[in-house]
Amino acid sequence: MISLRGVSLVYPNGTRALDDVDIEIAKGSFVFLVGHSGTGKSSLLRLLYREQKPTRGEVSVDNVRVDNMRNAKVPELRRNVGVVFQDFKLLQDKTVWENVAFALQVTGARTKDVMRQVPRVLDQVGLAHKARVFPSELSGGEQQRTAIARALVNNPKIMLCDEPTGNLDPVNANEIMDLLHRINLKGTTMVVATHNAQVVDRMRRRVIRLEHGKITADDERGFYHVTDAGETTTTVVAAFK
Amino acid sequence: MDWGKLRFFLNEVRRNFTRNVIMQLTAIGTVTVMIVLLGVFLFGREAVARIGDQVVHQIEISVFLDDKATASDAHDAIIAIRSDPRVESVDYVPKAEGLRRMRERLRNQIDTSLLTSNPLPDALHVRVIDAGTVAAVAAHVRKLPHVADVEYAHDAVERLLRLSDVVGKVGIAILALLIFTAAIIISNTIRLTVYARRREIAIMQLVGASNTYIRLPFICEGLLDGLLGALLALAILALARWQLLPKITTALPFVPADVLHIDPTLLALELLGVGAAVGILASWVSVSRQLRV
């Protein structure tokens, strides 16, 4: 589904964001990208929706090479890839309904489809009752749900989430992760970059650890932290629960 | 027809257009000035061309016969010239008639009674159908028997053509500058709109809106600037035509009135077309540079 082979990314200022990275992500899987800020998690996600091109290496998404994709083809890729950010990126002058519908309308969807799809995803993220509310009147968790609904409304095969719980309290963070989990169970491949140890440890999914642009761990049912021996372990709190 | 889609799109255009009213008005105003001047220029050029045509058309070739030419020689010459398909008319003026006409023309200016003999030769005044053939017809006539001299006002013709050429070139240079200015201002206006809507554009790009779809509302904004500016200019030009044309005709009696009656529909369509084209081009360039799409 997603594959990176020998991928390096060096920014014009000389910063090496990724260094010879190889990753294979199977269809329908749920993957955490973990690591400190600045270790290349966001850069890696940006390669997957072609916001960025790698300096070297091959990037494939849904079996299509995206590193050398023509610019005109990028919109097509992005309709199959939903992206969610820490800061939600909602339009403040549009209601929840309009924010979600926007993603369909600007891709030329028929009004009939907009009227059918938007209520469906709002229901899926539990925001049907807030459809007419503006983002400023929503809690952080609700805003993130709106952003997820917007990412989901085009029925993407893949969802990329860049610190989706970064601005949320633990309760809201868990709810959002549960929502992403439910979406994943319906078949959407999920890649979540995070440094929220609690949610990683709670979910026990595949964890890919990045340090200084290199992969230093890749565990099928991993934890956030890594022991000196190189094995992943749970956080102190989670360990004694 | 999906009215919902159309409504959404038109709403996008309206939001673009009303986001920065002052800049929008500046852009429209610049287009207006440009189109008014373009209109005046096109009108002026057409009028000069028509006056020129008329002047050239009135040019006669004066053919002077030599002293030995008899009335029958003159008659032969007339028949020879008339047989040329390029010739419209030939007017025979015998020397006596020529003197009489000259006396008439110079009455109260020169005392022609001092003339003791008639110095004028017999003359033929030839008019051609197409002004462009004056020189060729003159050359042909020159070769006929008993033709002493052939004259026509080729200096005047050339000077007139040169003048309209210079006026045309200067006008085009000024217009090019104006069109460039209008394009820059429209393009800046669009740039401000793109900047104001950068979050929306980023989201559009993120969810996979096509480049054309992202561009289109901005192109429409440029088109609106161009068209509204042109419409305003047309109103000003129509007012000027209605108010000023009678005064010009009175002030310049030598300009035939019909010369200034240029088909306003065609001119209006041309001007609207120029306004629209400048708007579309300027916004296209601007939005492409801004969006890097």
Side-chain angles (χ1 to χ4, degrees):
Chain A
M1 190 71 179
I2 295 173
S3 125
L4 286 86
R5 290 197 188 125
V7 169
S8 296
L9 174 61
V10 182
Y11 286 111
N13 64 5
T15 309
R16 184 170 283 271
L18 294 170
D19 190 0
D20 199 20
V21 169
D22 290 290
I23 297 177
E24 295 287 335
I25 295 173
K27 190 176 175 187
S29 55
F30 194 118
V31 179
F32 282 116
L33 291 175
V34 303
H36 299 296
S37 299
T39 51
K41 305 189 297 288
S42 300
S43 296
L44 197 151
L45 291 183
R46 278 203 288 274
L47 293 178
L48 300 182
Y49 62 97
R50 239 302 289 276
E51 181 66 21
Q52 195 84 51
K53 283 185 190 181
T55 316
R56 200 159 52 79
E58 289 180 14
V59 181
S60 297
V61 174
D62 198 17
N63 300 321
V64 177
R65 282 276 296 275
V66 298
D67 53 283
N68 56 5
M69 182 178 259
R70 285 192 301 119
N71 283 350
K73 286 273 177 197
V74 172
E76 206 178 306
L77 164 76
R78 291 187 182 170
R79 287 176 205 187
N80 280 318
V81 179
V83 192
V84 174
F85 297 94
Q86 177 175 358
D87 61 354
F88 322 131
K89 296 203 190 300
L90 297 176
L91 298 170
Q92 297 300 318
D93 59 343
K94 289 188 192 290
T95 63
V96 167
W97 204 96
E98 288 166 343
N99 264 288
V100 176
F102 188 70
L104 284 173
Q105 286 162 328
V106 299
T107 49
R110 291 176 304 174
T111 312
K112 204 168 68 180
D113 294 331
V114 177
M115 301 307 283
R116 201 179 51 224
Q117 290 283 75
V118 177
R120 183 184 64 77
V121 288
L122 284 181
D123 196 42
Q124 196 177 345
V125 302
L127 277 181
H129 61 297
K130 301 254 177 165
R132 303 287 161 208
V133 173
F134 287 92
S136 56
E137 302 165 78
L138 295 173
S139 73
E142 288 168 332
Q143 289 193 52
Q144 193 58 294
R145 280 165 192 274
T146 309
I148 291 170
R150 184 181 62 197
L152 208 55
V153 76
N154 267 318
N155 289 318
K157 293 179 185 165
I158 299 167
M159 268 184 78
L160 308 173
C161 307
D162 195 355
E163 302 284 0
T165 59
N167 282 355
L168 305 178
D169 60 58
V171 174
N172 271 309
N174 283 334
E175 280 179 12
I176 290 296
M177 292 316 296
D178 288 343
L179 175 59
L180 294 180
H181 183 222
R182 284 203 299 278
I183 293 164
N184 170 241
L185 288 179
K186 288 188 173 177
T188 309
T189 308
M190 194 70 69
V191 182
V192 181
T194 185
H195 47 221
N196 187 332
Q198 197 215 340
V199 299
V200 175
D201 293 348
R202 192 172 68 90
M203 291 184 70
R204 297 297 307 276
R205 309 304 291 252
R206 182 178 172 192
V207 176
I208 297 172
R209 169 170 289 276
L210 280 167
E211 276 171 32
H212 305 298
K214 281 181 179 294
I215 295 177
T216 55
D218 186 348
D219 292 300
E220 266 316 309
R221 291 176 64 77
F223 290 104
Y224 187 85
H225 289 290
V226 185
T227 61
D228 290 341
E231 295 167 341
T232 55
T233 180
T234 183
T235 58
V236 179
V237 179
F240 290 100
K241 253 183 182 172
Chain B
M1 184 70 206
D2 191 336
W3 293 109
K5 257 167 103 168
L6 184 68
R7 200 169 53 232
F8 177 78
F9 176 76
L10 291 179
N11 201 32
E12 291 289 291
V13 177
R14 180 189 60 78
R15 281 154 53 94
N16 273 9
F17 200 70
T18 51
R19 198 165 286 251
N20 196 336
V21 177
I22 300 288
M23 268 312 281
Q24 226 63 262
L25 290 179
T26 314
I28 292 170
T30 320
V31 174
T32 304
V33 172
M34 171 191 96
I35 298 285
V36 165
L37 288 172
L38 180 64
V40 169
F41 170 72
L42 287 180
F43 180 81
R45 202 179 57 171
E46 181 71 17
V48 166
R50 285 192 190 192
I51 293 168
D53 267 1
Q54 211 155 41
V55 170
V56 169
H57 194 69
Q58 283 168 351
I59 285 173
E60 281 180 347
I61 304 172
S62 301
V63 182
F64 301 107
L65 303 179
D66 59 25
D67 293 342
K68 293 180 213 114
T70 62
S72 99
D73 290 334
H75 188 66
D76 290 346
I78 291 168
I79 286 169
I81 295 168
R82 270 201 188 130
S83 69
D84 190 326
R86 295 169 293 187
V87 170
E88 189 184 316
S89 66
V90 183
D91 180 23
Y92 175 47
V93 184
K95 56 195 292 180
E97 172 66 11
L99 185 65
R100 195 189 63 74
R101 285 188 191 177
M102 190 176 79
R103 285 205 161 117
E104 190 92 355
R105 210 165 51 236
L106 300 180
R107 191 197 304 262
N108 302 329
Q109 293 176 43
I110 295 172
D111 186 0
T112 48
S113 64
L114 294 174
L115 278 173
T116 50
S117 65
N118 184 351
L120 298 178
D122 288 333
L124 301 173
H125 295 300
V126 180
R127 280 198 184 179
V128 294
I129 296 165
D130 174 12
T133 61
V134 166
V137 172
H140 172 70
V141 169
R142 197 185 293 277
K143 289 181 203 140
L144 294 175
H146 297 293
V147 170
D149 200 8
V150 173
E151 279 180 6
Y152 63 94
H154 69 286
D155 269 8
V157 175
E158 275 168 19
R159 224 174 288 156
L160 194 71
L161 291 177
R162 221 168 30 235
L163 179 72
S164 75
D165 190 45
V166 169
V167 168
K169 277 179 185 157
V170 170
I172 284 168
I174 293 172
L175 275 173
L177 201 68
L178 272 167
I179 290 176
F180 183 71
T181 311
I184 294 282
I185 290 179
I186 290 180
S187 134
N188 265 331
T189 311
I190 306 286
R191 211 169 73 181
L192 285 181
T193 318
V194 171
Y195 183 77
R197 296 197 61 187
R198 64 195 181 284
R199 280 179 66 89
E200 275 170 75
I201 291 168
I203 290 165
M204 284 189 200
Q205 289 177 322
L206 191 68
V207 298
S210 69
N211 295 338
T212 312
Y213 193 92
I214 297 174
R215 266 200 193 112
L216 216 52
F218 297 99
I219 306 294
C220 286
E221 183 186 346
L223 174 69
L224 267 180
D225 282 338
L227 277 182
L228 287 178
L231 276 175
L232 202 60
L234 284 180
I236 293 171
L237 286 172
L239 192 71
R241 186 186 145 91
W242 176 52
Q243 287 289 316
L244 295 181
L245 205 56
K247 287 181 189 151
I248 293 176
T249 329
T250 326
L252 306 174
F254 59 88
V255 177
D258 69 309
V259 157
L260 300 174
H261 286 133
I262 288 163
D263 181 12
T265 324
L266 186 67
L267 190 63
L269 286 177
E270 281 173 1
L271 294 179
L272 279 177
V274 171
V278 170
I280 288 175
L281 269 176
S283 52
W284 184 275
V285 170
S286 173
V287 84
S288 299
R289 280 177 54 181
Q290 292 290 303
L291 298 180
R292 281 170 291 144
V293 290

